[in-house]
Every structure is written in C-alpha cells, then in structure tokens.
Amino acid sequence: MTPHNDSKDSKPCIGLLNPDQEDQMKVCGYRRSLMRTGFCWACIFLTGGLLRLVLHWWRHLYLYATCSQCSLEEAEQVLVTEDYQGKHKMYHVKQIQVLTSSNLKTLLEKEQQSIERTHIECDHVENVLQLSVHFTSAQFKKCSSIRIFRCKQLVYAWNNNTNRFQRINGLDLNIPCSYYHQQRGLPVHEQISRRIVFGDNEITVPLRDFKTLLFLEVLNPFYVFQLFSVILWFTYDYYYYACVILLMSVFGITVSVLQTKKNQDVLQKTVYNTGNAWVVDHKGLSKELPTRAIVPGDIIEIPSSGCTLHCDAILISGNCILDESMLTGESVPVTKTPLPSKRDMIFDKTEHARHTLFCGTKVIQTRYIGSKKVLAFVINTGNITAKGELIRSILYPPPVDYKFEQDSYKFIQFLAIIACVGFIYTLVTKILRGTDPVKIAVESLDLITIVVPPALPAAMTVGRFYAQKRLKTSEIFCISPRSINVAGSINCCCFDKILKYSILRERRERAILAVTKKVSA
C-alpha cells in the first residue's frame, strides 16, 4: 500500500517541520476516505483479523489504507516522518485538534472556581478572549480558532501566513534584550489565552495503565509468533515443550510490563510539578498562583528563601545563587545576574546563560538592593524548557546502530528464508504422497516453528532481566535495557565530567568491571 495524492487543489500536501534544524521532519496531510476504510475493513474481515494486526504494527500503513492524501490546511490527520541519516525512518500518526474560544470559556470557568483572579463575565468570553499563538520574535497572533497537533511532546500549529505547520516556541528566539525589561506583566485574559495554546506548565510523560501495556506487549510480533507456535504444538501433542514456552512467555511479558510501568512511574514522579509561584500582573500586583498556570510572558517574583524553578526565566532585577547540578552535574553554585537592557542585542540562551534561570534548578539565595524585588521574565514553560528537553531526550532517544542487532536481524531473516523453503518443499511432497490435509498443514507449519526459534525473545527478555539485577547490585542503573546485549564488547568508556571524589572513581571502575565481565558472562 502506498500513499496517493487525491487532492486536486494547489495547496501544499507535504511540508517540513523544524526546517534548518537537526530535528527536521516531513509532514503529510490525510483525511478519512469512506471507500478506502470500507475496503480495508472488508480485507480485515476476510483475513480473520490478521491484516489488522499487521496494520497495528505499522500504523502508517493503516493511515494509507483508510485515508487519502490532502492539503495540510484541510487535513484531519498528519503523518510525521523522521529520517535519521538515511538509515532509520520513524513514523508518527497524529490527530489534528482544533482549539476555539469555547476552550477558553471552559478554562476560565474552572479558574474562577479555583482561584479568584478575574472579574470577566464568562457569558461574554467569546467576545473578550482570543487565542494567542506565538511562533517567533515575540509576535503573538490573535485568532478565534487554531489547528494544532502534538508530536514528541511538542505543539505544532497551522500558520496561515506561511501555509505550513510551525512549532510553537517560547519567548527566547530573535528577541532583543530590551523587550524583557519593557514588559509589565499580563492581564488575566491574556494569561488564559496563552495557556490554552502552550498548555499547562507541566512536563508531560506518556502514561499507560497496566492493561494497556499488557495488551501492547502481547501484540508484539515475537509473542504473536510464540502464541501461534504454542497453539500448533498443542494440536501436534507437544504438550510439555509448549507449556514450557508458554510459561517463559508469560514470565517475560510480566517482567517487561512491570519494568516499563515502574520506569514510567519513576519518571513521572521526577517531573511532577507542585507548588505555587508569585506572579506579577499588569497592574504591578503580586498574586500567588499554581505553578501549572504560569505562561511565557509572565513575570514571577523569586522568594528570598529560595525555591525550585518550574520554568525557564530571564532574571531582570536582583541577583540569584543557583544549584544547577540537576541539569549540568556540577555541584558548584552559580551566580545569576540581571540581563542588560540593550536594544541592539538579541537574546541568545547560550551566550546569556549567566542571566537565565533554567527549569529544574534550585534557587539557594537571592540578593536585591533596598526594597527592589527579585523578578524574572518567563520565556519557556512545560516541555519546551531545559528540563523538558532533557526528559524528551530520554523518552525519544535517536536510534543507535548496534552491529549485534543488525546481525541478529539478518540471522532471523536467513532462518525465515530456510523455513519458507522447507515449508514449500514439505507441502509439495506431502500433497504428492496424498497425505491427510490436516496433517499436511500441521507438519508444514511445524517446520517453521522448528527453524525459527520461538523461545528466542523470551530467553532474551529473561537474560536482560537478570543482567539488570546484577548491575543493580553494583549500583548501576540502565535506562536502555536493549543495550545490555552489546555491553560486554565495550572496551572504552568516556565521561563528560572529571570525577574528583574517590567514591565516584570507585563507582566508575565498578561500572566498567561489571559491564565488561558480568554481563558478558
């Protein structure tokens, strides 16, 4: 199945996301086709659901089968394609969402019930509020509705001026330094308008319940093949071997699901955002709001007792001493000074890091002159903060080429070719001998399960599980279990920090010893 362009207009059907950047991606627009959907489900019915299982493994094929390509402006779904150096292609199928003023009214009603911060009448909110969309250069576009989709925890919105989807950025791109000093806070309706588009100031981690994780793990191609093999062996009276493989599969699935669930919960606990912040409004008054309600453009007051920052902000008055070890690994406190107000100077997060307060860091102490408050201008919230980028790098790591994995796939493919040849030979010879059709089917299919080892994925899962336990006893924690299979061949380890303390040196030596000896054993 291949995509077709059914759109007859000249509007763009294919575009680029994040052009001129390392994470550039291609996006294509699609809309539902009743004829294609009906034909696809007819084929699924005729194949007994097998085709639907294949389309579950490759979601972009299901999109091709049920939708027709159209312009991005009219698309109901988009296909985002990532190409890593021409070696790996990853596909993301995303639904288009439409944000309107009704979303503003719902959020405003909730805000009025939880926080007394506005006197705007909710019945006339559509006439008062408009969505504030920002792409770059601090130019907020006002509109009554906006089409967006979310990919890898980032929001992309349709820009009518450029006729393409663009990433919604914070207030840190192509903005003069004097802009931050000219701002005096946001009125409440502007805060809510921006919050609808940017979302809550929370770093989101995709969470799935135990049932969903179990269902997705069972539908893994290897376990589907195991289930097929076990059913076939039961029909051929291989009871003992089938039961052993079944128990190994159940154990492997359970371990994998529990480990995935545990990692999700730990990561969610790490990024969970709680607490309040003092926000300065457009009248110069400070109000205490939940940190999730902060939006880019807000001015926050840094308390003298210190706090943990839940957003990226630029210091505009006063000094701060911060602990940035959570992001940099350095335990030495860092002093932050106010950003100079220069019209001809464009803010750069790298060059002006000494004026930037990053999300996740801790304010140890503040310094101010007289009665002047320590104020910071919020530039990024949620997933586009420094901490959010760190979490996204954990959730969506780039694919790594391991020779071990490449060779293992080639080995499986080679075995599959031998199995197909043996299947065809056995089928032909049995038919020529006039063997019973049921016996022909069972013996021919049984040959495939013998050539391609169905116990391989379960054995690999159990092996990785016990390898992780051995590593854990040496205080080594692995966030990528698939790397354990090749860890035994590592002969050089590189660190980006100088290990000054003896305890860290001992831990490093223990890690190298455990990886090179225990895992390879």
Side-chain angles (χ1 to χ4, degrees):
M1 288 176 287
T2 57
H4 299 281
N5 188 357
D6 294 341
S7 180
K8 298 181 180 180
D9 51 35
S10 59
K11 297 177 181 179
C13 301
I14 301 176
L16 292 177
L17 300 178
N18 309 323
D20 303 325
Q21 297 183 19
E22 293 183 359
D23 56 346
Q24 177 177 305
M25 299 178 288
K26 184 176 73 173
V27 57
C28 302
Y30 289 87
R31 59 186 170 195
R32 180 72 64 180
S33 172
L34 295 178
M35 184 176 65
R36 290 192 178 195
T37 303
F39 179 75
C40 176
W41 280 98
C43 294
I44 292 174
F45 178 77
L46 293 175
T47 57
L50 182 61
L51 178 61
R52 184 65 185 91
L53 186 61
V54 174
L55 296 178
H56 168 76
W57 294 333
W58 293 281
R59 290 189 60 194
H60 64 286
L61 297 182
Y62 182 71
L63 184 69
Y64 295 156
T66 58
C67 300
S68 59
Q69 196 173 31
C70 66
S71 66
L72 290 172
E73 187 176 2
E74 301 171 349
E76 299 174 355
Q77 298 182 74
V78 291
L79 176 64
V80 181
T81 306
E82 291 183 275
D83 193 353
Y84 290 95
Q85 301 177 351
K87 297 180 180 180
H88 300 276
K89 279 193 175 182
M90 298 184 66
Y91 299 94
H92 307 275
V93 179
K94 299 298 178 181
Q95 192 77 25
I96 298 293
Q97 297 177 329
V98 180
L99 301 180
T100 62
S101 58
S102 60
N103 300 111
L104 297 173
K105 181 176 179 179
T106 302
L107 181 59
L108 183 58
E109 290 174 346
K110 292 181 179 179
E111 292 294 324
Q112 282 187 321
Q113 294 175 1
S114 59
I115 306 170
E116 295 181 359
R117 53 182 289 183
T118 179
H119 299 288
I120 299 177
E121 294 293 336
C122 292
D123 295 336
H124 305 287
V125 69
E126 291 87 350
N127 300 325
V128 177
L129 298 179
Q130 284 187 314
L131 294 169
S132 295
V133 186
H134 173 257
F135 297 110
T136 186
S137 301
Q139 298 295 325
F140 279 86
K141 177 183 177 183
K142 300 293 183 179
C143 55
S144 58
S145 64
I146 186 72
R147 300 171 64 249
I148 68 168
F149 70 89
R150 302 177 188 273
C151 181
K152 298 174 70 172
Q153 310 304 317
L154 297 177
V155 180
Y156 296 87
W158 178 256
N159 190 345
N160 290 321
N161 297 330
T162 58
N163 283 330
R164 64 187 181 95
F165 281 101
Q166 288 184 256
R167 172 180 167 179
I168 295 180
N169 296 300
L171 296 174
D172 57 348
L173 296 176
N174 302 324
I175 300 177
C177 294
S178 59
Y179 169 82
Y180 305 109
H181 291 272
Q182 295 169 359
Q183 305 305 305
R184 295 295 180 266
L186 299 174
V188 62
H189 61 81
E190 181 63 22
Q191 289 176 329
I192 297 177
S193 298
R194 295 186 184 186
R195 186 177 167 193
I196 287 292
V197 179
F198 283 96
D200 288 343
N201 180 29
E202 296 176 340
I203 300 175
T204 55
V205 176
L207 293 177
R208 293 181 176 135
D209 56 17
F210 184 82
K211 293 181 180 179
T212 303
L213 291 174
L214 180 62
F215 180 75
L216 293 176
E217 188 69 20
V218 170
L219 291 182
N220 185 286
F222 288 109
Y223 289 118
V224 171
F225 178 67
Q226 282 186 334
L227 180 62
F228 163 76
S229 302
V230 167
I231 294 175
L232 185 64
W233 290 334
F234 272 116
T235 60
Y236 206 64
D237 296 338
Y238 285 165
Y239 297 117
Y240 297 110
Y241 186 59
C243 289
V244 171
I245 297 299
L246 184 62
L247 291 175
M248 287 183 62
S249 300
V250 171
F251 179 76
I253 291 173
T254 304
V255 168
S256 179
V257 170
L258 291 177
Q259 187 66 33
T260 303
K261 182 63 176 175
K262 180 180 178 181
N263 293 340
Q264 284 185 357
D265 294 340
V266 171
L267 189 58
Q268 174 67 16
K269 185 178 179 180
T270 302
V271 303
Y272 186 66
N273 193 0
T274 57
N276 297 327
W278 288 93
V279 179
V280 180
D281 61 13
H282 65 295
K283 297 180 181 180
L285 301 176
S286 296
K287 294 184 179 180
E288 188 176 10
L289 299 177
T291 53
R292 61 178 174 83
I294 296 176
V295 296
D298 274 333
I299 296 178
I300 59 175
E301 181 182 345
I302 308 298
S304 58
S305 59
C307 64
T308 299
L309 292 168
H310 298 289
C311 60
D312 287 350
I314 296 173
L315 195 62
I316 57 179
S317 66
N319 294 339
C320 292
I321 299 177
L322 272 73
D323 176 10
E324 295 185 336
S325 59
M326 199 283 293
L327 293 179
T328 64
E330 297 286 354
S331 58
V332 179
V334 180
T335 301
K336 301 290 183 176
T337 58
L339 180 73
S341 178
K342 295 183 180 180
R343 294 181 180 274
D344 56 345
M345 182 185 294
I346 301 298
F347 175 78
D348 184 273
K349 191 182 294 185
T350 304
E351 295 182 2
H352 298 93
R354 64 183 181 277
H355 312 300
T356 307
L357 312 178
F358 295 103
C359 178
T361 59
K362 294 181 180 180
V363 178
I364 302 174
Q365 184 181 356
T366 62
R367 297 175 182 174
Y368 53 92
I369 300 175
S371 60
K372 195 172 183 180
K373 299 178 180 178
V374 180
L375 301 177
F377 182 89
V378 179
I379 56 174
N380 289 321
T381 59
N383 295 301
I384 59 177
T385 60
K387 185 178 179 181
E389 292 178 359
L390 177 63
I391 298 301
R392 286 193 296 109
S393 66
I394 297 174
L395 294 174
Y396 308 102
V400 181
D401 281 327
Y402 288 125
K403 195 173 187 302
F404 173 82
E405 288 194 358
Q406 294 178 351
D407 293 342
S408 64
Y409 291 144
K410 292 178 181 178
F411 176 69
I412 294 296
Q413 292 173 0
F414 178 72
L415 292 181
I417 293 174
I418 296 178
C420 291
V421 173
F423 173 78
I424 295 174
Y425 175 79
T426 304
L427 189 65
V428 173
T429 55
K430 294 289 184 181
I431 292 176
L432 293 178
R433 293 176 185 175
T435 311
D436 182 68
V438 176
K439 190 175 182 181
I440 293 176
V442 172
E443 292 184 355
S444 300
L445 294 174
D446 183 52
L447 184 63
I448 298 177
T449 64
I450 294 174
V451 177
V452 181
L456 181 61
M460 298 282 281
T461 301
V462 174
R464 284 199 300 264
F465 172 72
Y466 283 107
Q468 279 184 277
K469 289 190 66 176
R470 292 198 297 271
L471 291 173
K472 191 174 182 180
T473 58
S474 300
E475 297 184 10
I476 303 170
F477 301 93
C478 182
I479 62 174
S480 180
R482 56 189 288 270
S483 306
I484 293 179
N485 294 326
V486 296
S489 60
I490 294 176
N491 52 25
C492 178
C493 296
C494 301
F495 298 87
D496 64 341
K497 300 296 177 188
I498 300 176
L499 305 180
K500 299 179 180 179
Y501 304 102
S502 59
I503 183 172
L504 294 179
R505 287 200 300 269
E506 292 176 3
R507 184 172 297 179
R508 179 189 61 175
E509 294 172 358
R510 199 162 55 240
I512 297 175
L513 182 64
V515 169
T516 56
K517 291 185 177 181
K518 285 189 175 183
V519 179
S520 60

